[in-house]
Amino acid sequence: MRYIMLSALFLMLAAGLSPNVNATALSQAGDVPELTGSWSGKLTVGTVSMNIVFNFTEGRDGVPVCTMDSPDQSVKGIPAEVEKFTSDSLIVSVQAIGASFSGTFDRNQDSGSILSVSGSFSQSGASFPLELRYGKPIILRPQTPVPPFPYRTEEVVFANGDTVLAGTLSYPVGHDSGSDAQVPVVLMVTGSGQQNRDEELFNHKPFLVIADYFARNGIATLRYDDRGVGASAGDPASVTIQSNMEDALAGLRYLDSLGRFGRVGVLGHSEGGTIAFMLGGKGEADFIISLAGAAVSGKEILVRQNRTALLQAGMPEQMTDDYCTVLADVLDYRAENVRPGEPVGNAGYILDSLAKSSGADLPDAVLKNLETILSGTGAWVDSFVAYDPAEDIGKIACPVFALNGSLDAQVDADMNLSALRDRLPENGGSVIKEYPGLNHLFQHCTTGNPSEYGTIIETVSRQVLKDMVAFITE
């Protein structure tokens, strides 16, 4: 589930505050004859520590070509420019995020090769020490399955109108079109933001892990690339929660048309969990698994999400209250006055009026972020804010397994599960469960802050995997 705000790190720097995240390990340094390759370091701001990677390739006139990665935020290939490169120093600018790095080389006295680059990383008027050493961060993901697999997979395609979506069908050994038609099959629907069929983020592949576990336990799955991602067609800019639901519906009907499986269910994560409720309300699924799917309106989710992120990052409570009050007003204004996906003229003037009427006292950089949201954040955000799943949830007749982590910072467990208990019709097969100590990705964590996602080795709690299999098979 995406945030409607600039990153917590940027907002905290803009407000002169210090956020709070953890770090991952870096690979060992080693002598290299040239700057060419990847150079990594840990950027520390107060209690914050995150990995920064600069990737250098040979360019013309001896000036390297560069990109920047932020692996802890699952961001790769940010365009960068080498502004200065001499025998003893380096300056790199990253205009996309308003940042730069300036450093000097520590060279081997005998060979002259670069051992490290010591300097500072600057952003939003603040500078922080950063030392780069050769190599990329070491990232361990022991749950990611590797072949050979004890089950079958097929590459398949299905269509929603003119949009062709590609995915992977996985099913237990011995199951084919003429064998056991009682094997259940699960359509897997990703969270918000265009993602591939493995729902890959922060070097984790949760949908691959789940599909692998299910196939080893007698359950088939279909996971697919979102529109405009991987092998799937479509324009990501036109995506809304409605179009995502329609794509998922096409996937369900494709599975049903195969005639190869028994019950056909939906497993959705985050926005995908909300889409599972939508499909359940239409009577299109035999069962539903909602992994942190929103059971309240998109506006409520996004305001609570921002409040949690800002408080965890260290923003004072009053400033957080003011930000969330104005954010709610901004979302209401767009919903009431603007067609989905369209920009707002005079956004600065309108925001000033909204902020003054609420009595909010916010730094200029934070107000600028809210102005950006008011100006227009895309068709998906507008569609999500406007959607309230209450009606669809009230129509669901099939069994539902709805689960949240107690430390979920993106879809609050108490707010979400309480709404489900009030709205979901009684069904002896339904289960609503909160898992202590798990975050939005169902990892065991410390705070639940998204900054931890990439630092945690676990991809999905094994207990969650076991409970989902038990729900489907029982």
Side-chain angles (χ1 to χ4, degrees), residues 58-137:
E58 293 184 9
R60 293 183 299 177
D61 303 322
V63 178
V65 176
C66 183
T67 61
M68 188 188 108
D69 302 338
S70 179
D72 295 332
Q73 296 176 307
S74 198
V75 177
K76 299 179 181 179
I78 303 172
E81 181 181 356
V82 177
E83 295 188 345
K84 179 182 179 181
F85 177 52
T86 68
S87 61
D88 59 5
S89 63
L90 170 73
I91 297 178
V92 179
S93 66
V94 192
Q95 294 185 4
I97 59 172
S100 64
F101 172 75
S102 177
T104 58
F105 299 135
D106 176 21
R107 294 183 178 272
N108 184 297
Q109 293 183 353
D110 296 326
S111 67
S113 61
I114 302 170
L115 299 175
S116 64
V117 189
S118 299
S120 61
F121 185 92
S122 301
Q123 185 181 32
S124 304
S127 296
F128 311 95
L130 178 63
E131 181 180 60
L132 303 177
R133 291 184 177 273
Y134 185 73
K136 291 187 175 183

Side-chain angles (χ1 to χ4, degrees), residues 31 51 152 178 180 218 280 295 351 452 457:
D31 291 357
N51 290 300
R152 299 286 300 277
D180 184 5
L351 178 65
E452 293 180 324
I457 293 176

Side-chain angles (χ1 to χ4, degrees), residues 22 31 65 89 125 144 173 273 440 453:
N22 293 328
D31 291 357
V65 176
S89 63
T144 300
V173 169
H440 187 62
Y453 296 165

Side-chain angles (χ1 to χ4, degrees), residues 248-267:
L249 178 58
L252 270 183
R253 291 176 174 172
Y254 167 75
L255 288 173
D256 192 57
S257 72
L258 294 177
R260 297 171 54 181
F261 303 102
R263 290 168 296 143
V264 181
V266 182
L267 179 153

Side-chain angles (χ1 to χ4, degrees), residues 151-152 169-173 175-176 179-188 210-211 213-223 252 255-256 258-267 285-289 468-474:
Y151 51 85
R152 299 286 300 277
L169 184 65
S170 303
Y171 50 90
V173 169
H175 176 74
D176 56 39
S179 61
D180 184 5
Q182 297 307 307
V183 170
V185 64
V186 179
L187 179 78
M188 306 178 72
I210 294 170
Y213 190 86
F214 279 13
R216 293 170 187 266
N217 287 274
I219 300 166
T221 58
L222 171 58
R223 63 190 197 277
L252 270 183
L255 288 173
D256 192 57
L258 294 177
R260 297 171 54 181
F261 303 102
R263 290 168 296 143
V264 181
V266 182
L267 179 153
D286 293 327
F287 60 90
I288 289 170
I289 297 178
M468 289 192 294
V469 166
F471 169 76
I472 295 170
T473 56
E474 292 175 5

Side-chain angles (χ1 to χ4, degrees), residues 267-315:
L267 179 153
H269 175 233
S270 198
E271 182 202 4
T274 305
I275 289 172
F277 295 144
M278 297 169 78
L279 295 172
K282 295 179 180 297
E284 295 283 351
D286 293 327
F287 60 90
I288 289 170
I289 297 178
S290 171
L291 293 161
V296 297
S297 72
K299 173 191 167 182
E300 293 175 86
I301 288 291
L302 292 171
V303 171
R304 178 66 67 90
Q305 184 184 94
N306 278 258
R307 179 181 298 280
T308 300
L310 293 172
L311 290 175
Q312 285 186 343
M315 182 177 273

